[in-house]
Amino acid sequence: MTTITAPLTSTEHSSAPSRKTAPYENWRPPVIGVSLLVPVGPDAVVVADLLGSITLPTGLVQDGQTPEQAAQDLLRGGPGELPILRRVALAWQQTRRRKVITHVLATAPLTCADVGHLTYRDPRANVRVLPTMRVLKDLNEVGRLRTLVALQALATGETAYIEGGVVHPAAPPNLTQST
């Protein structure tokens, strides 16, 4: 017995209604964070050691807060406020549903004695001073790029811009959150 088949038209394929799709960009407001680059002497930096995983001290910027104010909340216990110098890098990444923007701020160099009094915002983490080369070896790829670019920008007096893992010489015009 032979059967004759004919292609179905698009309306005959399914009786289910068609779904509208939207691009995966910015379904939610951006996440704005801050990382702190704290040099100690000529060849060491402060890191947060959270259960064996090291990172630069990092946190969120709350609504109505500047990145500089948020950076002051990351490390506590010093003789006063941290001597924030300036923003050395601005990194942003488009994730599936939102943009993640991270300001990297640098402080004036601290001494090991000053760092000894500091505590991280997360009580599970320890504040440690490690050689810069070890930190760069132990960081993940994103953290390593951000730290290298921030160290270079601190040395040259510039501000670096990183978009999706690519370093740019100047801030792209489409960056709306640059506070």
Side-chain angles (χ1 to χ4, degrees):
M1 173 177 348
T2 60
T3 58
I4 300 174
T5 59
L8 297 174
T9 62
S10 63
T11 57
E12 296 172 330
H13 277 290
S14 171
S15 61
S18 64
R19 290 178 47 175
K20 293 184 179 183
T21 59
Y24 282 138
E25 289 188 9
N26 302 326
W27 284 4
R28 300 179 189 165
V31 173
I32 302 174
V34 64
S35 289
L36 199 53
L37 178 65
V38 182
V40 178
D43 63 348
V45 293
V46 171
V47 294
D49 183 350
L50 179 62
L51 307 172
S53 176
I54 66 166
T55 182
L56 293 179
T58 303
L60 291 176
V61 177
Q62 303 298 327
D63 288 338
Q65 196 177 35
T66 67
E68 290 79 10
Q69 292 167 335
Q72 291 294 337
D73 293 338
L74 295 177
L75 297 172
R76 297 185 188 101
E81 287 193 349
L82 289 171
I84 304 289
L85 287 177
R86 63 184 182 83
R87 181 174 58 192
V88 290
L90 179 61
W92 63 98
Q93 177 77 37
Q94 180 66 52
T95 64
R96 186 171 180 181
R97 292 189 175 106
R98 64 173 61 182
K99 185 180 282 190
V100 178
I101 301 169
T102 305
H103 299 268
V104 182
L105 302 175
T107 69
L110 298 180
T111 64
C112 285
D114 291 338
V115 174
H117 301 289
L118 297 176
T119 58
Y120 188 50
R121 65 175 178 81
D122 187 340
R124 300 172 297 167
N126 296 316
V127 175
R128 298 180 58 195
V129 176
L130 294 177
T132 306
M133 293 307 292
R134 172 157 179 226
V135 171
L136 292 172
K137 180 179 85 58
D138 291 346
L139 287 174
N140 63 24
E141 186 178 338
V142 173
R144 185 178 310 116
L145 174 66
R146 196 175 291 163
T147 304
L148 276 171
V149 169
L151 285 167
Q152 181 180 12
L154 180 63
T156 61
E158 300 290 326
T159 300
Y161 300 95
I162 307 167
E163 179 180 12
V166 177
V167 181
H168 293 278
N174 63 352
L175 182 63
T176 58
Q177 300 287 337
S178 63
T179 55

